[in-house]
C-alpha cells in the first residue's frame, strides 16, 4: 500500500465543565453529528463527512482539556507492529479493550514526552456520511448545514515540554514527518513542530510549553473560505468567545478562526492549506517573522493564542 | 428618471505625507489605476471597474486626512438646483471651475456641520474600464489583478461634531436617507449614521466626534469574500498596518478589512452588504450590542477603530 | 429623493400546472419563504431577505407562464403621477383594488406593446426578514439555508413582439434606461434590451419574439458564486431540469444557472453583475459575439435558451 | 513512513500539433510556469505551487495525445523494489537514464494493459514555488495570477481496453486502491475506475475503451470554486473550446471545467473533492445514475465527454 502505518487523526476525548451546555454547543453551534452515548455518560460526535462512528468524545469533568488523542492505523497487523516499535523505542504501552469506546476496536495507549496520552487503533465501525456508497449526493443538507458543520475533526495542537522528544518519537516510530517548524526567540531551539502522516500539512502539532499535557486547540475542517465566513457568522450569532477572527495563517497557509467552547477548550475552524509530500523539505519560521506565520494578515503575535491552553 | 439627484460618491482628495511612498501604495498595493497627474502635483486614481476618470486624488501635505469628498449628480440642471437648495437651506456654496480637477466639470463646494468639505459635480470624463462598450470581457487581468484592485471607491466614513445636523442636511436637501444608525451609550443621542442616496447600504457615514473634519476611512469595494482574503494576503505580504482583520460587520452586513495607508489614512476593503430601498425603515444598533455591529464575529469594540482618525 | 419613481421589481404572478408539485418546488427546492394563501387559492412567497410580504405568487392554471409583473413605486403620489403619464402616453390603465393581492395596496395595471401585463403599486406590508430592525443578525439559518434560498426575486426576462416600443415606454414614461442591448443578426434591429430603474444591471429585460406575453425566466438573486454552486447541487439532488449549468454571462456579467420549475417556467439563480449608473453609456453586443454574451465560458448559443418560453 | 511506495503523479508528456500555439496556451492561458527546454525541443512546465522541476512536458508531433505518465515514488530503494514487483507480476520494464528528462533521475517505464506507458522515478530536482522555505508568503502574485495558474498537475484520466487488468496491476503491485467506480450499462462490467495512492480521491482514472493508449484529460488543481470561475473567464476571454462548463461532479465531488488545448488534448481545471483513506469502501455508480456522476447539476451524459479522446 502507498498509504501505510498511521493513517489519520481518529478521535479526541475532551473534558467539559457543564455537559448540557457542551452538548448544545457541539450539536448546534459547532454542528457535529451526535452518534452515541455510552454507559459512562460520554457523548460521541463526528463531522458530517466522516465515515467513522465518531471523532470527538466529550465527558463532564471538573477541569477542561484533553484526555487523549487517537490515530487510526491501517490494520491490526500495523497496530501490533507499531506497539512493538513503541516498546522497542522505550515507550510503555497499554491495551484498552475493544468496546471501551463505542464501536471501536482495541486501542494501544501511550504517553508522549510532552505528557499527552495518545492512542492507536485499527478498527472503528463505519457509519458513513448518510449519502450511502451507491450514487451518493455530494452533501446532505440536514447534516452539512446544521451549525458550523465541519467536514471532519482534522488535527490538534498540543502544548507541553520536550517537544523535540515528541518529534523524535513521532518521526522515528510512527512515520510522521515535520512539515513546518517555528524557531524560538533564541534562534536555536524549536518552539513548534507541525507534523504530518499524510499529505495534509498537519495531522498534529506541538508547541513547547512548561506544563505537560495541555490542549491548545482541536481543529475542524471546512470546505471553503466562504464556509469560514459562515462559521464566523454562526460564532457571532451565538456569542461564542473568539480568540482570533478570520485570517490566513502563514504557517501551513490555512485560513482560520480560533474560538473557545463553553468550557474553555479552544477550537479552530479552518480551510485551505497545501498538500506536502514526504520528499518536501520542511518550512522554517524564524521568530522575528512568526507574527506573520501565526496571522499573515496582521503579523500580530496574539498573546492569548500564545499563552492560553486548557 | 428613477435615479435622480445625487447619484454616487465621485471622488475623495486625500493628503499623504510622503508622495513616493503613497504612489507605491496606491498603485501597487491597493492597486488602483493611475489616470493622471496635474500641474499642482496631485495624482489621480480610479478603481478598475469605474468609468469615470478618477475617484481618488492624492496630494502631498504635512498632515494626513481628507481635503474634500465629491458626489456625482445626475446632470447640470440637478447641480444648479441642488446649489439653490443648499443656499435656501442656509448653506454657503462655492463654485470650483471646470478643469480644476482633471477631466472634471464645475464643482459646487460646501462645508457640512461636521466641518467636512463636500462637492457636487455633474461632469467627469468617462475613460471606461478598458473593456470597451461593445462585447466587453467581464474583467481585465491587467487591472483587476494588480494589487488589491478594488472595483471602485465606494463610500467614506467621516468623524466630526454635529452629525445630527449633517444627517438633516443630507436627508432634507441632498436626497439621502438613513439606512442604519448607532445609538450612543446614553441611549438618547445617535453616535453614527449610515446614509444612502442609492440602494447601497451606505454612500456615506458620519460618526459623532469632537474634532471637525476628520477622516475615519475611505472604503473600496471588492467582488467577493474571496477577494477580501486576497486583499488580506496582499496586505500581509506588504506588511501594511492593519486595524481590523477580515470579519463581517453587523452594521450593513459587509465583510471587511481595515488598514492604514503609509500616511495613516485608514482604508477599508469590503464586500457584501445588502440593498436597501427608500421605503425600508432604518436599522438601529443599541450601544450595548454595537460590538457585534462593528465586528459581528467577535463582538469586540476595537478601541483603535473607535478613536483613531486622520 | 435621489431614488424616485419606480423603485424595484415587486412581484410576479406565475401559473403552475400542478399546485402541489409547485408548492413543494417553491417551498423546498427553490426555498422561498411562504407568507400566505388567499381565497382564490393563490400562494404567496418571498426571498428570505425581502422585507415586503411577497414577491412571487403562484396559481394553478392549465398553461404555464406569467400573469403579470409588478413594480414597487416610491409612494402613492408617484403612483398617481405615473398613471397620468401612462395615460398621456396613450397607455390605458386599470386600477386593481387594494387587498386584491394580500397585504398590497391599489395597483395600476397596463399592457405593454409586447403583450405583457405590468403593474405599479406603492404599498405592500413589510414583514421583514425575521431578524428585526434592532441589532439584527446578518442572516437567519432557518430561512437562508432551506433550499436554494435566494435573497430576493430580482428581475425577469420577457419575450414578445415590439420590444422597441416597450423600451420606449419604459424609458420615456417609467424612468428606466437601457444598460445593455443585443443586436439582431441583421445588425440593424435590436434583439434584446436589458433595462434598469436603479443601479442594478437589469430590473427587466425584453427579447424580440413573435408570440406576445411570454415568460423567459424569473431571476432570483444569490449572495455569491459559492451559493450558485450550492444551488446547482440542490438542483441536481432534486433532478430539476436544467437549461444552462453554472456559467458567467457576458451580458451583465452575472454568474448564473437556468433551470425550469415543474411546470416549465424557467428560473435563474444568479449572482454577481455590476452596478451601472444613469450616466453610463449602454453596452452593445453584436450578434456574432452574442454567444459569449449569453455564455461567456463557452460562447455557445444555447438553442433551448433562445427558443423555449412559457 | 506512513506515506510509502508511489507518492503522486509526477509528470505527463503531451503531444501538441503546433508548438508555438501550444507554448502560448500552456504559458499564458493555462498559466503554467515554464522551467526548461531540452535538446530534443521539449518544453517543461509546472503548476505554480509544485516544488518539482516540472510536471508537464510538451513536444511537437503529428498527432495529439500522451506519450507517458510518470509517478514519483518515495526513494530509490522503493523504485528498485517496485521494478522487481512489476517484473514478478509479469510486467516488462525499461530503465530510462537519469537526465533524459531534465533534472530527473532514472525512470522505470512499463506499458499497462490499456496500452499506456507509465513511469516511476525517485528523483527530480526541487525548484520550489518561488517563496522559499523560510517564512514563505502564502502565494506569489507573479505566478499564481498569470493565466489560469493551477496549483499543480493533479491526475489524468486515460481511455483504453482491459481496465480491469490495469486496476489489478495498480492495486496489486503499485499500492493504489479503487476510490470510486462506474458500472457499464450491462450492470456487470466496470466502465471506469478512479484510483488513489494517497488520500486524494483520484491520482489516476481509467475508462474502458476499444482503442489503446488514449488520453481523456490531464487535470489541474485550483484552490477554490471561485478560481474555477476565474478559469472559466480566462477560457472565455481566450475562446478556448469547452467540453463541459463549470459544474460539480457526482463522482469524486470535484467542481470542474473541461476544455481542450489547441491540439485537442482535453484538460480539466478542478477543485474540491474529498479525502478518502485506505479503509474507506469504494463508491459505486450505476450506469442509470451516471449522468449525475458525470455532471451532478444536470445529470447529462455529455456525448463529447464520453467519446472524444486524443
Amino acid at each position: 500500500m502507498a498509504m501505510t502505518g498511521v493513517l489519520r487523526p481518529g478521535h479526541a476525548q475532551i473534558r467539559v465543565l457543564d455537559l448540557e451546555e457542551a452538548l448544545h454547543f457541539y450539536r448546534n453551534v459547532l454542528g457535529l453529528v451526535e452518534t452515541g452515548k455510552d454507559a459512562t455518560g460520554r457523548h460521541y460526535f463526528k463531522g458530517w463527512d466522516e465515515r467513522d462512528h465518531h471523532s470527538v468524545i466529550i465527558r463532564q469533568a471538573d477541569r477542561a482539556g484533553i484526555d487523549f488523542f487517537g490515530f487510526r492505523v491501517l490494520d491490526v497487523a500495523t497496530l501490533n507492529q507499531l506497539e512493538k516499535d513503541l516498546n522497542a523505542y522505550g515507550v510503555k504501552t497499554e491495551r484498552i479493550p475493544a468496546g471501551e469506546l463505542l464501536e471501536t476496536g482495541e486501542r494501544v495507549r501511550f504517553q508522549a514526552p510532552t505528557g499527552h496520552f495518545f492512542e492507536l487503533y485499527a478498527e472503528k465501525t463505519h457509519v458513513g456520511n448518510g449519502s450511502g456508497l451507491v450514487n451518493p449526493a455530494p452533501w446532505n443538507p440536514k447534516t452539512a448545514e446544521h451549525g458550523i458543520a465541519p467536514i471532519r475533526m482534522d488535527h490538534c495542537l498540543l502544548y507541553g515540554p520536550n517537544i523535540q522528544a515528541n518529534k523524535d518519537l513521532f518521526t522515528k516510530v510512527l512515520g510522521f514527518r515535520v512539515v513546518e517548524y517555528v524557531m524560538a526567540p533564541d534562534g536555536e531551539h524549536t518552539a513548534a513542530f507541525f507534523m504530518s502522516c499524510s499529505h495534509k500539512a498537519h495531522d498534529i502539532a506541538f508547541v513547547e510549553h512548561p506544563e505537560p499535557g495541555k490542549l491548545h486547540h482541536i481543529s475542524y475542517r471546512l470546505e471553503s473560505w466562504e464556509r469560514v465566513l459562515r462559521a464566523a457568522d454562526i460564532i457571532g450569532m451565538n456569542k461564542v468567545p473568539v480568540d482570533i477572527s478570520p485570517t490566513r495563517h502563514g504557517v501551513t497557509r490555512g485560513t482560520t478562526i480560533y474560538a473557545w467552547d463553553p468550557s474553555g477548550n479552544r477550537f479552530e475552524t479552518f480551510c485551505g492549506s497545501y498538500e506536502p509530500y514526504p520528499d518536501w523539505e520542511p518550512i522554517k519560521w524564524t521568530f522575528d517573522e512568526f507574527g506573520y506565520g501565526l496571522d499573515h494578515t496582521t503579523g500580530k503575535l496574539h498573546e492569548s493564542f500564545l499563552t492560553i491552553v486548557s
Side-chain angles (χ1 to χ4, degrees), chain A:
Chain A
M1 288 293 284
M3 292 195 75
T4 57
V6 177
L7 294 182
R8 64 175 175 271
H11 54 242
Q13 184 167 306
I14 304 297
R15 296 187 300 268
V16 299
L17 303 180
D18 178 322
L19 187 62
E20 284 313 306
E21 198 179 34
L23 286 172
H24 172 69
F25 174 81
Y26 283 94
R27 285 170 181 159
N28 301 318
V29 180
L30 189 51
L32 298 178
V33 178
E34 191 170 2
T35 54
K37 178 184 172 181
D38 69 21
T40 71
R42 294 179 295 187
H43 287 257
Y44 293 68
F45 295 92
K46 66 187 278 292
W48 73 264
D49 200 29
E50 290 180 290
R51 292 202 187 173
D52 287 340
H53 178 266
H54 61 267
S55 56
V56 176
I57 308 118
I58 63 172
R59 73 168 179 97
Q60 182 143 349
D62 55 10
R63 61 189 181 91
I66 185 166
D67 285 332
F68 51 78
F69 193 79
F71 292 98
R72 160 85 199 210
V73 304
L74 183 63
D75 53 22
V76 171
T78 301
L79 182 68
N80 295 337
Q81 183 61 50
L82 286 171
E83 184 172 31
K84 279 184 204 161
D85 295 345
L86 283 164
N87 297 157
Y89 191 75
V91 175
K92 280 187 225 166
T93 55
E94 178 191 6
R95 286 263 169 171
I96 314 290
E100 196 277 336
L101 280 177
L102 292 184
E103 306 290 338
T104 307
E106 211 173 9
R107 290 131 65 204
V108 169
R109 187 181 287 178
F110 63 94
Q111 190 171 21
T114 53
H116 300 90
F117 289 95
F118 290 99
E119 302 183 344
L120 308 177
Y121 67 93
E123 294 169 323
K124 190 180 288 183
T125 305
H126 277 198
V127 296
N129 70 1
S131 294
L133 296 175
V134 181
N135 309 325
W139 49 276
N140 183 332
K142 289 221 176 77
T143 54
E145 296 190 331
H146 179 73
I148 292 172
I151 298 170
R152 67 173 182 234
M153 192 275 287
D154 188 84
H155 65 269
C156 68
L157 170 57
L158 303 174
Y159 269 44
N162 311 314
I163 63 168
Q164 182 70 44
N166 265 36
K167 176 248 181 186
D168 288 345
L169 171 62
F170 274 74
T171 51
K172 293 180 184 170
V173 183
L174 299 175
F176 285 64
R177 64 191 191 281
V178 175
V179 174
E180 304 203 11
Y181 61 100
V182 181
M183 298 308 293
D186 66 11
E188 290 182 22
H189 294 86
T190 306
F193 289 109
F194 297 80
M195 305 185 69
S196 178
C197 60
S198 64
H199 49 84
K200 290 162 59 186
H202 39 11
D203 285 302
I204 191 145
F206 300 110
V207 167
E208 188 72 29
H209 181 76
E211 297 166 286
K214 289 298 181 181
L215 171 64
H216 186 274
H217 71 264
I218 301 288
S219 184
Y220 298 95
R221 186 161 180 87
L222 304 177
E223 294 91 335
S224 66
W225 173 237
E226 188 153 318
R227 292 281 287 195
V228 174
L229 175 60
R230 184 181 171 281
D233 287 344
I234 291 170
I235 283 170
M237 289 174 190
N238 289 280
K239 300 194 176 178
V240 174
V242 173
D243 189 10
I244 301 185
S245 60
T247 191
R248 162 92 71 187
H249 281 307
V251 178
T252 78
R253 292 194 221 160
T255 55
T256 184
I257 305 171
Y258 289 101
W260 286 282
D261 82 359
S263 305
N265 295 302
R266 191 189 282 96
F267 67 97
E268 179 185 29
T269 54
F270 97 109
C271 179
S273 193
Y274 63 100
E275 292 179 82
Y277 281 87
D279 58 307
W280 288 27
E281 283 178 78
I283 284 174
K284 171 181 176 171
W285 290 86
T286 58
F287 189 78
D288 61 311
E289 285 291 311
F290 176 60
Y292 286 93
L294 169 53
D295 182 345
H296 183 265
T297 310
T298 66
K300 186 177 168 187
L301 282 171
H302 299 258
E303 181 69 13
S304 56
F305 184 89
L306 297 179
T307 58
I308 300 175
V309 290
S310 65

